[in-house]
Amino acid sequence: MGDANISQHLPVYVVIMAGGAGTRFWPQSRLAKPKQFLNLWGEESILAATVRRALLLTSPERCLIMTEELYGDIVKEIVPHIPAENIICEPVNRDTAPCLGLAAMKIQERCENAIMIVLPSDHYIEDEEAFVRTLQRAANWAAHHPDLTTIGIKPSAPQTAYGYLDCGKARGKGVYEVKKFLEKPSLPLAKQFVSGGNYLWNSGIFIWQTNVLLGAMKEHLPELGALLANWQQIENKSQRDAMLQLEYVLAPKISIDYGIMEKAINVAVVPADFCWDDVGSWQALEKYLPKDEKANSLADNGRHVGIDTKHCIISVDTGLVATIGLEDMVIVRQGDILLIAPRERDQEVKKMVQKLAALGLEEYL
């Protein structure tokens, strides 16, 4: 579709964040090949699907993929149609605020100001035509207003795994002010949010002008803003890249939500007109998996045999898993690792990864 449908005076870049470890999908998602590079649903990897949607909004030359040094070659292999210079590897992982600051700086190396659409690499999106309509509406708003714009999702249930946006008055057609960002709530509080009617899930999709973002970083994250400004002043590209490699570790390790969005007053939200899911855990994945006659959700390649086993999530990549009398469990066999957990505790998989790291068992990560 291209960016002509979005803005007549600012070019549109899409930045895809693809550097996460995906620890809640361990052991299938591991350091060598995390969640965004897997085919958890459908025939294409999650990253490939995200890039395909991004190219409905802009050209390959204006699609940037932010990742880590470890994953640069994997990204190039998955999306060879994206120019190699658009695959930007962070020297170290410093969370999303430095990542997006670096992306904005890289865009401004090419043009003075632009619309920057930020997409996480690991979302499930249904109805891509509606996705494009929503993003175009948000980008058109950002092109004409100095706002930090985000996409909000109408809650379908009182989820405790998502952050929420407290929406205020209408700013324009289909655009509202954000009064407050709220972190993952308790279940009673999530129920209040859903029943209140003016709360949306925080999708992690953002749209803004690069100048607006960098200005917000100078105001709310001055240490990061100063680093970015110093790097931008170095005219020689090789010298600038060398300084960035050396100093990137000095950037504060902080998310864009904590560092900017929760502090800024110029935040707008466009409610989504599409079905969205960040598929952040094994339990969240089950709706996209085939079911057997006992309501087990299966990604087992025919390698599971059960007796009186029901309502389980079962993923098996090798060997055979046999179960008797199990209910409401998560069972994942990946190579030399077997994970077994009650389905209601699947969010604690991340804690298990942290425990393995603390025990020095990196070979299983």
Side-chain angles (χ1 to χ4, degrees), residues 90-103:
E90 295 178 89
V92 292
N93 188 327
R94 302 303 290 168
D95 217 320
T96 54
C99 171
L100 296 180
L102 176 59

Side-chain angles (χ1 to χ4, degrees), residues 24 35 123-124 153-165 182-186 190 193 200-204 257 276-281 283-285 287-288 347:
R24 287 180 292 176
K35 172 187 174 184
H123 286 177
Y124 173 85
I153 311 295
K154 184 177 180 180
S156 58
Q159 286 279 358
T160 60
Y162 300 153
Y164 286 73
L165 310 172
L182 301 118
E183 283 305 308
K184 299 172 182 178
S186 64
F193 291 166
L200 299 172
W201 287 334
N202 176 13
S203 70
D257 285 345
W276 166 94
D277 195 339
D278 82 341
V279 197
S281 67
Q283 193 168 183
L285 177 65
K287 66 175 72 72
Y288 307 109
Q347 290 288 330

Side-chain angles (χ1 to χ4, degrees), residues 215-278:
M217 288 186 170
K218 289 178 182 178
E219 180 180 358
H220 301 295
L221 291 173
E223 183 181 352
L224 176 59
L227 280 172
L228 292 167
N230 289 339
W231 295 333
Q232 285 185 301
Q233 289 173 5
I234 302 174
E235 295 184 5
N236 182 282
K237 185 179 184 302
S238 61
Q239 291 179 357
R240 183 171 59 247
D241 289 345
M243 186 61 70
L244 190 151
Q245 286 284 334
L246 182 66
E247 294 185 346
Y248 197 77
V249 70
L250 302 177
K253 187 174 178 63
I254 191 168
S255 72
I256 195 72
D257 285 345
Y258 281 122
I260 303 291
M261 304 302 287
E262 293 184 4
K263 301 173 183 177
I265 59 172
N266 58 325
V267 180
V269 61
V270 175
D273 191 24
F274 54 87
C275 178
W276 166 94
D277 195 339
D278 82 341

Side-chain angles (χ1 to χ4, degrees), residues 4-237:
N5 293 322
I6 296 176
S7 169
Q8 297 300 319
H9 63 284
L10 288 176
V12 174
Y13 285 77
V14 176
V15 174
I16 298 172
M17 296 185 292
T23 53
R24 287 180 292 176
F25 273 102
W26 181 86
Q28 189 167 350
S29 175
R30 298 169 75 169
L31 287 177
K33 193 173 183 180
K35 172 187 174 184
Q36 61 269 25
F37 305 130
L38 303 177
N39 296 28
L40 289 180
W41 58 84
E43 297 182 356
E44 59 186 347
S45 70
I46 307 174
L47 174 61
T50 304
V51 171
R52 178 173 50 75
R53 287 191 295 270
L55 297 184
L56 300 175
L57 299 163
T58 194
S59 64
E61 292 72 27
R62 291 178 177 171
C63 180
L64 273 59
I65 301 177
M66 307 298 294
T67 189
E68 299 178 32
E69 296 280 359
L70 180 64
Y71 305 131
D73 290 339
I74 298 177
V75 173
K76 291 175 184 177
E77 181 180 345
I78 290 175
V79 286
H81 50 296
I82 298 300
E85 63 269 21
N86 286 14
I87 299 170
I88 299 169
C89 298
E90 295 178 89
V92 292
N93 188 327
R94 302 303 290 168
D95 217 320
T96 54
C99 171
L100 296 180
L102 176 59
M105 188 187 81
K106 292 291 186 179
I107 292 170
Q108 288 201 331
E109 289 177 359
R110 308 182 187 192
C111 59
E112 183 176 348
N113 194 25
I115 297 297
M116 176 174 162
I117 297 175
V118 178
L119 303 178
S121 62
D122 56 357
H123 286 177
Y124 173 85
I125 303 292
E126 199 172 280
D127 191 348
E128 294 185 353
E129 289 185 5
F131 169 81
V132 170
R133 284 196 307 270
T134 303
L135 269 293
Q136 285 178 337
R137 186 184 312 125
N140 188 57
W141 176 266
H144 296 92
H145 299 85
D147 284 341
L148 301 165
T149 308
T150 186
I151 302 299
I153 311 295
K154 184 177 180 180
S156 58
Q159 286 279 358
T160 60
Y162 300 153
Y164 286 73
L165 310 172
D166 183 1
C167 301
K169 63 184 179 181
R171 296 277 311 278
K173 185 177 180 181
V175 184
Y176 300 85
E177 70 173 357
V178 175
K179 295 194 294 184
K180 191 174 182 181
F181 274 69
L182 301 118
E183 283 305 308
K184 299 172 182 178
S186 64
L187 183 57
L189 197 55
K191 289 179 178 178
Q192 289 182 33
F193 291 166
V194 174
S195 62
N198 59 312
Y199 291 88
L200 299 172
W201 287 334
N202 176 13
S203 70
I205 299 172
F206 304 107
I207 309 92
W208 41 53
Q209 296 178 37
T210 53
N211 283 341
V212 171
L213 174 64
L214 292 174
M217 288 186 170
K218 289 178 182 178
E219 180 180 358
H220 301 295
L221 291 173
E223 183 181 352
L224 176 59
L227 280 172
L228 292 167
N230 289 339
W231 295 333
Q232 285 185 301
Q233 289 173 5
I234 302 174
E235 295 184 5
N236 182 282
K237 185 179 184 302

